[in-house]
Amino acid sequence: MGRPKQLMDAGGIPLFRRVLNTVLTRFPTPLLVQGAADLRAALKADAYRGVHVVDNPRWAEGQLGSMQAGIRAARSLLTGDPSGTLPERVLVVLADLPLLKGKTIDAFLALDDSGQAAYASCRGRRGHPVLLGPEAIRMLMLAHPSERAIKVVHPLEPLAVEVDDPGIYTDVDTPEDYTELFVRNSLE
């Protein structure tokens, strides 16, 4: 992409802030895990005062490593102890899904506590966010960062949460994705 995609212009704001703005309408103090890109400068506005930025220096090892860094930070924030109790539930939202709808996050917030793992699905196609319960969190924390999270929690038979939101899988991974997304959807 030539530069960190999270910082690419998405209608006058960095791409990651489109997703973060949606999350902030539901969670006033989310954790934002960063890898290669330093996102702090793009969070100077008062609207982002409650955002906790977590560094993942091992981001190149895989996406699961960023999830693990976020879970460790949540544990520390919740208990005041980096080796304290793991969180009971974690909602994972990727930073490159600029079309994700708030109602999709609401669907996950409405789930009861009985499930160990759930993922978004739209017309049978898997996407994000992902909701993790205690056993899924434990399994992910024991896995190598290069493993795919869905494979790690597969034995728990994750629940597919059907939503009417193609934004769950409309991500930006290539320059072509970026061009198509901002031309086709006229995002400003």
Side-chain angles (χ1 to χ4, degrees), residues 18-30:
R18 283 193 169 273
V19 179
L20 184 58
N21 290 343
T22 300
V23 171
L24 280 168
T25 64
R26 274 82 182 157
F27 299 98
T29 58

Side-chain angles (χ1 to χ4, degrees), residues 11-156:
I13 63 172
L15 180 67
F16 82 96
R17 279 188 25 200
R18 283 193 169 273
V19 179
L20 184 58
N21 290 343
T22 300
V23 171
L24 280 168
T25 64
R26 274 82 182 157
F27 299 98
T29 58
L31 291 171
L32 175 64
V33 180
Q34 66 181 8
D38 187 355
L39 308 177
R40 284 182 178 88
L43 291 171
K44 294 295 184 201
D46 286 345
Y48 303 104
R49 194 172 306 237
V51 177
H52 298 278
V53 179
V54 178
D55 292 307
N56 178 21
R58 298 173 61 185
W59 61 271
E61 291 183 20
Q63 191 178 67
L64 179 54
S66 291
M67 291 172 66
Q68 291 168 332
I71 292 168
R72 281 191 298 275
R75 173 173 49 194
S76 185
L77 282 170
L78 291 170
T79 66
D81 178 0
S83 61
T85 305
L86 289 170
E88 292 180 24
R89 289 173 33 136
V90 172
L91 183 68
V92 178
V93 183
L94 300 183
D96 67 344
L97 297 172
L99 302 181
L100 184 69
K101 297 177 183 174
K103 68 180 184 177
T104 295
I105 294 173
D106 294 340
F108 282 85
L109 296 177
L111 293 175
D112 64 34
D113 292 345
S114 63
Q116 284 299 322
Y119 61 89
S121 177
C122 179
R123 300 177 196 109
R125 187 170 169 189
R126 185 181 315 198
H128 284 82
V130 174
L131 182 67
L132 306 169
E135 183 60 17
I137 292 168
R138 187 191 67 73
M139 292 170 75
L140 290 171
M141 292 305 287
L142 294 173
H144 189 274
S146 65
E147 292 186 60
R148 292 194 60 221
I150 192 66
K151 290 197 185 262
V152 173
V153 300
H154 181 74
L156 300 175

Side-chain angles (χ1 to χ4, degrees), residues 1 4-21 94-99 170-173 178 181-182 187:
M1 301 274 279
K5 65 182 175 182
Q6 299 89 341
L7 295 173
M8 293 179 73
D9 184 88
I13 63 172
L15 180 67
F16 82 96
R17 279 188 25 200
R18 283 193 169 273
V19 179
L20 184 58
N21 290 343
L94 300 183
D96 67 344
L97 297 172
L99 302 181
T170 307
D171 60 350
V172 179
D173 288 332
Y178 177 81
L181 184 62
F182 288 92
L187 289 180

